[in-house]
Amino acid sequence: MSTRFAAILIAAGALFGAGGEGLKPRASASDYPASATGAAAAIGATLLTADEARSRFSTDVSRGYLVVEVGVYPKDGAPIDLGPGDFMLRLAGREDSIRPVGPKAIAGVLQKSASGDREITLYPNVGVGYESGRGYDGIRRGGWSTSTGVGVGIGDTRPPASTDADRKTMEMELAEQQLPEKVVTAPVAGYLYLPGKVKPDRQYELEYQSPAGKVVVRLEQKRADTK
Amino acid sequence: MVYTLAQGVRRRLRGPSMIARKLAVLLFAAAVLGIAADKSDDPGRKTRVRLGGISVGFGYARYGGPFGYLWYPGGYYPYRSWWGPYYSPFWDLYAPLYYPGFFPGYLRESGPGIGEVRLTAPEKAEVFLNGGYAGIAKDLKTMWLEPGAYDLEVRTAAGAYARRIYVLSGKKLRIDTAEQEASR
């Protein structure tokens, strides 16, 4: 690739690149739990467990999406026109694969499907009373009375993360940490969001496609977390 | 939103104690069945049970006997005494339960959509939000913020902790400055 073409690619990336800057890449691809090297770049990746996703995101992204942290390390500083769309995920041994979804779509889905908690409030009450006097029939009546009771209030709290401001915030959080979409010459890292839920003890394959060829990284879902 | 009042009354000398007890059991059973029937597909949905408060009261009522008559089809009825058997001083104790507006869950539901940030940091650390000084950590253990992204910085004599945080309404975000994530 000529120097001029590389410069054009970088300029185009700067102009049309979308999303945030992603994450700080680890020192090398081999620092990720899974890695592979191709003709154009080395790829390191890890599939986040639901617990990890919950601790790293305010957005409840694990409710319907797989999160893969990926690092891309271009070989010899050669420019790569990179984007989340270059990746796909599939279960090992299967042909059908899924591609990453954009932050805007995810935020819209999560905002609409946000569910509130149910709250049951108990109000116990006790009372002691004394009545005396004659009734209309002339019979004297009275004495001590006691009462006990419980009020039960059942209600749904407003779902968290369900306002328009929440949707924008979720979109921002996901976009800022997504794998950048731009021309890169240095290592970059970020998250990929793929539709689906983590299946326990399954092996996944993350495939990176570039003009220089494919790179397949074998990911394994950690046994401890199956949510 | 459903409100159910279960109430049992025991009167030693007179009164519809059995009816009240049966009614209380029925209402309580209805509430429990209602909770059980409300199944949701969302595994993230939780049911919280909380104590709204305990009310304890004492009442005294004295009947002066009949002093007037109220006409009704079939004859006259002594209205003063009509009041007696049906009025109970305990009714006042239940008054807060008659108004759903007093239900704290209702009040929270109507509240502004803000998120909670729980900060764990050295007490004297200075906290900055979006570059502006917010206060010291001792006073900012809990912050309520509108949904949005904020640049949080906590400065101590030992150094600074900086992180971009994303606040969502109704959600709690815990931040411990002792925990630094390698990926950020």
Side-chain angles (χ1 to χ4, degrees), chain A residues 131 134-136 141, chain B residues 11 14 60-68 70 77-89 91-92:
Chain A
E131 298 167 322
R134 288 183 189 281
Y136 66 92
R141 53 184 82 225
Chain B
R11 286 164 178 267
R14 62 181 173 75
Y60 173 74
R62 185 175 185 282
Y63 311 123
F67 58 85
L70 195 69
Y77 194 85
Y79 69 81
R80 180 63 178 82
S81 293
W82 174 86
W83 181 259
Y86 290 93
Y87 174 75
S88 164
W91 287 10
D92 293 334

Side-chain angles (χ1 to χ4, degrees), chain A residues 111-202:
Chain A
Q111 182 207 8
K112 283 185 180 172
S113 62
S115 63
D117 290 340
R118 181 173 44 216
E119 191 162 89
I120 301 166
T121 309
L122 303 176
Y123 298 88
N125 61 76
V126 294
V128 179
Y130 184 78
E131 298 167 322
S132 69
R134 288 183 189 281
Y136 66 92
D137 49 7
I139 297 172
R140 188 171 184 80
R141 53 184 82 225
W144 291 95
S145 302
T146 57
S147 78
T148 55
V150 59
V152 183
I154 305 165
D156 287 340
T157 56
R158 186 163 64 184
S162 58
T163 65
D164 284 346
D166 290 320
R167 182 179 46 75
K168 286 175 189 163
T169 305
M170 287 191 284
E171 186 183 334
M172 194 186 298
E173 180 182 31
L174 297 172
E176 287 180 356
Q177 298 181 80
Q178 190 184 27
L179 184 73
E181 186 162 1
K182 61 181 181 182
V183 176
V184 297
T185 54
V188 289
Y191 292 121
L192 302 173
Y193 314 108
L194 302 115
K197 290 197 175 181
V198 172
K199 292 180 180 170
D201 302 328
R202 293 287 181 93

Side-chain angles (χ1 to χ4, degrees), chain A residues 16 27 43 65 100 107 112 147 187 218 220:
Chain A
F16 301 109
I43 309 289
Y65 297 90
K112 283 185 180 172
S147 78
R218 286 182 170 271
E220 194 162 351

Side-chain angles (χ1 to χ4, degrees), chain B residues 92-167:
Chain B
D92 293 334
L93 301 177
Y94 317 145
L97 301 170
Y98 295 155
Y99 307 105
F102 286 97
F103 179 46
Y106 176 84
L107 293 178
R108 268 203 300 283
E109 193 176 24
S110 308
I114 52 177
E116 183 181 356
V117 178
R118 289 268 178 99
L119 179 65
T120 305
E123 288 197 340
K124 290 181 181 173
E126 293 177 316
V127 180
F128 294 80
L129 275 175
N130 289 344
Y133 179 68
I136 59 169
K138 183 185 170 185
D139 302 328
L140 296 171
K141 287 178 180 168
T142 301
M143 292 182 277
W144 293 93
L145 299 172
E146 290 187 358
Y150 299 85
D151 290 318
L152 173 74
E153 192 177 350
V154 181
R155 294 180 193 166
T156 61
Y161 169 93
R163 183 178 160 181
R164 190 156 170 81
I165 60 170
Y166 303 89
V167 178

Side-chain angles (χ1 to χ4, degrees), chain A residues 62-123:
Chain A
S62 62
R63 194 159 49 86
Y65 297 90
L66 300 165
V67 182
V68 177
E69 181 187 344
V70 63
V72 179
Y73 299 78
K75 264 193 173 175
D76 306 325
I80 299 175
D81 189 4
L82 186 70
D86 298 333
F87 290 85
M88 60 173 75
L89 188 76
R90 62 172 172 258
L91 279 169
R94 296 274 294 269
E95 288 296 318
D96 49 333
S97 56
I98 47 174
R99 285 193 180 274
V101 185
K104 192 171 187 174
I106 297 172
V109 169
L110 293 179
Q111 182 207 8
K112 283 185 180 172
S113 62
S115 63
D117 290 340
R118 181 173 44 216
E119 191 162 89
I120 301 166
T121 309
L122 303 176
Y123 298 88

Side-chain angles (χ1 to χ4, degrees), chain A residues 1-70:
Chain A
M1 188 183 294
S2 71
T3 310
R4 179 179 288 181
F5 181 60
I8 291 169
L9 273 179
I10 291 167
L15 277 174
F16 301 109
E21 288 302 305
L23 305 171
K24 184 182 170 189
R26 300 183 187 184
S28 68
S30 57
D31 287 335
Y32 289 85
S35 62
T37 305
I43 309 289
T46 179
L47 177 62
L48 267 57
T49 64
D51 282 342
E52 285 172 333
R54 273 192 287 270
S55 69
R56 293 192 194 184
F57 291 89
S58 296
T59 304
D60 197 4
V61 69
S62 62
R63 194 159 49 86
Y65 297 90
L66 300 165
V67 182
V68 177
E69 181 187 344
V70 63

